[in-house]
């Protein structure tokens, strides 16, 4: 949101009220997101952020709080934009199998997209992180994703769409491990088609009713 000067007219003259923000907050936030995505939480310093966002430290603190608070907002934005494909697949696909297959294929495409850093911010940002709170935050999000998969798989077992003996927890963790592993392989230079081949192999082990 670009803000301009807010004025009120009094006796035919304009009077400035408040201090205008000299930068676009959404644009600055997206730049911070890209920095954390590329370098991780620990390696991205406040001075890096001010340089990349194009603002001074006082403006950063006034608009976003400290580095940790900014990172919390970045994670929320990422989860609702670049990283939303898993939630959408679970919500839109008719079965757990179809949802996971879609997740893996979209991960292959998104994690190798040249328009932004490779891999997944939720996976990569915790690398070499010395902040227990940040580690816990990202771990909880990853575990929540696996729990959502497990819940969907269990529902399909009850509905008869998967065999009664299916180990829902193991199958969900397998899918989670594949997605997280694809993130790291994308960071290491794997191409989209190579990750899509992994997705095919991963789906070949899924049980059939």
């Amino acid at each position: 949101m670009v803000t301009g000067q807010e004025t009120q007219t009094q006796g035919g003259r304009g009077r400035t009220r408040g201090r205008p923000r000299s930068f676009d907050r959404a644009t600055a936030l997206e730049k911070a997101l890209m920095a954390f995505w590329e370098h991780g939480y620990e390696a991205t310093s406040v001075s890096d952020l001010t340089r990349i966002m194009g603002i001074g430290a006082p403006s950063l603190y006034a608009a976003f709080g400290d580095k940790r608070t900014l990172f919390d907002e970045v994670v929320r934005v990422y989860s609702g934009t670049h990283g939303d494909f898993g939630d959408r697949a679970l919500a839109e696909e008719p079965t757990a199998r179809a949802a996971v297959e879609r997740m893996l294929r979209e991960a292959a495409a998104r994690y190798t997209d040249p328009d932004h850093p490779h891999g997944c911010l939720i996976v990569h940002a915790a690398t070499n992180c010395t902040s227990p709170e940040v580690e816990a935050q990202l771990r909880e999000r990853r575990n929540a994703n696996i729990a959502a998969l497990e819940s969907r798989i269990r529902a399909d077992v009850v509905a008869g769409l998967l065999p009664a003996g299916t180990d829902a927890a193991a199958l969900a963790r397998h899918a989670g491990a594949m997605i997280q592993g694809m993130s790291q392989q994308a960071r290491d230079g794997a191409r989209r088609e190579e990750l899509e081949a992994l997705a095919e192999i991963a789906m070949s082990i899924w049980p059939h009713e």
Side-chain angles (χ1 to χ4, degrees):
M1 176 175 64
V2 180
T3 60
Q5 289 189 332
E6 187 179 35
T7 62
Q8 63 179 23
T9 302
Q10 199 172 56
R13 298 177 63 184
R15 180 166 63 87
T16 299
R17 185 173 62 199
R19 185 174 182 178
R21 184 177 290 154
S22 60
F23 65 93
D24 184 298
R25 190 181 190 281
T27 299
L29 182 60
E30 182 69 10
K31 290 178 179 178
L33 187 154
M34 292 295 169
F36 282 124
W37 193 351
E38 177 66 31
H39 304 292
Y41 178 81
E42 194 70 28
T44 305
S45 67
V46 171
S47 61
D48 292 330
L49 290 167
T50 57
R51 174 178 52 81
I52 291 165
M53 298 165 77
I55 61 178
S59 295
L60 187 150
Y61 291 126
F64 301 102
D66 59 14
K67 174 182 168 181
R68 170 66 196 283
T69 305
L70 170 59
F71 182 71
D72 289 346
E73 186 169 354
V74 159
V75 169
R76 289 193 297 272
V77 170
Y78 176 87
S79 298
T81 53
H82 303 283
D84 69 342
F85 61 92
D87 289 341
R88 289 193 296 101
L90 281 176
E92 296 170 6
E93 295 300 326
T95 65
R97 179 188 179 90
V100 170
E101 184 171 13
R102 174 173 160 182
M103 282 183 207
L104 293 174
R105 293 195 179 281
E106 290 199 21
R110 295 205 185 198
Y111 291 171
T112 57
D113 189 334
D115 290 338
H116 55 62
H118 287 178
C120 171
L121 181 147
I122 304 300
V123 174
H124 177 63
T127 303
N128 298 322
C129 182
T130 61
S131 169
E133 294 82 7
V134 170
E135 284 190 326
Q137 173 193 13
L138 298 177
R139 181 170 59 248
E140 286 169 7
R141 283 186 175 268
R142 293 191 298 269
N143 286 337
N145 291 338
I146 292 173
L149 281 173
E150 181 179 348
S151 177
R152 184 63 184 276
I153 292 167
R154 290 189 187 282
D156 279 9
V157 172
V158 171
L161 299 172
L162 288 169
T166 299
D167 188 334
L171 197 55
R173 286 211 170 271
H174 175 265
M178 288 301 305
I179 291 172
Q180 292 171 23
M182 288 167 71
S183 171
Q184 184 57 54
Q185 292 209 11
R187 300 280 304 185
D188 290 342
R191 302 187 308 276
R192 175 177 176 174
E193 56 268 28
E194 292 174 322
L195 297 184
E196 287 175 340
L198 291 181
E200 279 192 35
I201 294 171
M203 295 310 302
S204 70
I205 64 98
W206 268 64
H208 294 272
E209 181 55 52

